[in-house]
Amino acid sequence: MRVPLTRGEDGVLEPRLTLGAVTVRGALYGLVLLVLTVSWAFLTQEHDTRVDILAVGTFLGLIGGGVVLLCGLFFWLCSFGDVRRWRDIPSMRNQHDAVAVIGPAFARVGVLLLVPTPACYGLGELVASAPYGSWVYGRA
């Protein structure tokens, strides 16, 4: 059951975001990204292009997702429990409140990028080692 959001006395939506909720939503978005990446890779007929798409997905997911997730967790810790949603931007009173919005956003995007990484790596290895002429290999 969904808890209704209400504005607290400082103008921030209550209840506050939790790390678990941000991670779950980022993982769900990552599954959508995985479906799009795999669809794009297998709709492409050329073998080398398939391998390249999956290799780029692996690299960007691992490096980009790891860096963004670590930055998000760092900003989350710097906000000292004052974690806010994007809809809470009008309630900001000083420049330091921006960290409270960026932390959860970066954490969600980092998880989003990390979720498809193992599947992209595994499919990339599968496509690279597929026998010539198979549907997984594609056209030469």
Side-chain angles (χ1 to χ4, degrees):
M1 187 166 132
R2 200 167 169 160
V3 177
L5 297 176
T6 58
R7 294 269 177 197
E9 55 190 53
D10 55 354
V12 178
L13 288 172
E14 301 286 340
R16 302 282 181 142
L17 289 173
T18 62
L19 186 59
V22 168
T23 304
V24 167
R25 184 166 290 182
L28 290 175
Y29 294 162
L31 290 175
V32 172
L33 180 63
L34 173 63
V35 169
L36 293 174
T37 305
V38 170
S39 299
W40 183 31
F42 282 109
L43 288 175
T44 304
Q45 296 295 321
E46 302 296 325
H47 172 72
D48 293 335
T49 307
R50 282 184 184 181
V51 173
D52 290 345
I53 288 169
L54 293 169
V56 166
T58 302
F59 177 76
L60 289 178
L62 190 61
I63 302 300
V67 169
V68 172
L69 179 63
L70 289 176
C71 289
L73 293 176
F74 174 73
F75 289 144
W76 192 298
L77 290 173
C78 289
S79 66
F80 298 112
D82 184 25
V83 180
R84 299 180 182 203
R85 295 172 168 81
W86 281 104
R87 292 178 278 175
D88 291 329
I89 288 178
S91 69
M92 291 184 185
R93 300 292 175 239
N94 56 34
Q95 293 176 342
H96 305 291
D97 289 342
V99 173
V101 173
I102 295 298
F106 275 24
R108 183 174 292 148
V109 171
V111 172
L112 179 147
L113 292 173
L114 283 173
V115 166
T117 301
C120 286
Y121 176 75
L123 283 174
E125 293 296 316
L126 180 71
V127 169
S129 64
Y132 182 76
S134 68
W135 71 272
V136 175
Y137 186 87
R139 288 189 304 205

